[in-house]
Amino acid sequence: MSNQNLQISDTIWSKFTNLQYLSLKNDHLKQIPSGIGNLKNLKVLDLSGNDFKILPLTFSNLINLQELYLNDDKYFQLQKSIPVLSKLPNLKSLHLENDGLKVLPKNIYKLNQVESLYLNNNQFKQLPKEIKRLTNLRYLYFHDNMLMLPNQDILNQNLGIKITL
């Protein structure tokens, strides 16, 4: 359903309860349909390249979601969406690439279930200190940022995670 510029009714989602993968990439959605919360078996969701700001509260019903793509979402307000994302117990991979991020919100620690975080192609000048509070984080993908420290200095910070620059 990518690249379609679709207008999707909230009632249609209840017909796809067994759906495990959904891509709504580049559909220019101004908001995510609240009915998407009916997709309780969804494991992978790609919402990249849209125009929404926040995730609907019903998004927290996606209890089996393991991987979420929020790349190229320039208007996305991560800080306001963390309370919803923190209610996804199986969310292991979070993609926030090319979102124009300069800092991570202080409440990022609430996403403690995340094991892989993709922050490539943003505007970070240094490794965000908030990363240390994500105790289950194992992999950080951080290339093509505006780092002021040499790559080796970042890798030597001994955070206990694999960092890919």
Side-chain angles (χ1 to χ4, degrees), residues 4 25 60 92 108-109 115 164:
Q4 300 293 318
K25 185 176 181 178
S60 61
K92 303 300 180 205
I108 193 81
Y109 71 91
E115 295 177 0
T164 304

Side-chain angles (χ1 to χ4, degrees), residues 115-132:
E115 295 177 0
S116 298
L117 183 58
Y118 297 79
L119 297 174
N120 302 318
N121 301 308
N122 278 293
Q123 298 175 18
F124 293 100
K125 292 184 179 178
Q126 61 187 17
L127 195 64
K129 61 183 179 262
E130 293 82 9
I131 294 296
K132 294 178 185 179

Side-chain angles (χ1 to χ4, degrees), residues 41-100:
N41 289 309
L42 197 62
K43 292 183 179 179
V44 179
L45 177 58
D46 192 344
L47 295 173
S48 301
N50 282 289
D51 302 326
F52 62 92
K53 293 181 180 179
I54 59 170
L55 299 171
L57 293 176
T58 58
F59 202 86
S60 61
N61 294 335
L62 301 176
I63 58 171
N64 288 305
L65 191 65
Q66 297 172 6
E67 188 159 16
L68 177 59
Y69 292 83
L70 296 168
N71 302 327
D72 304 303
D73 290 331
K74 302 292 185 206
Y75 304 109
F76 181 62
Q77 297 174 1
L78 179 59
Q79 182 171 355
K80 290 183 178 180
S81 295
I82 286 178
V84 172
L85 292 171
S86 69
K87 294 179 182 172
L88 303 175
N90 292 302
L91 184 63
K92 303 300 180 205
S93 293
L94 181 59
H95 298 258
L96 298 167
E97 301 174 76
N98 198 31
D99 284 340

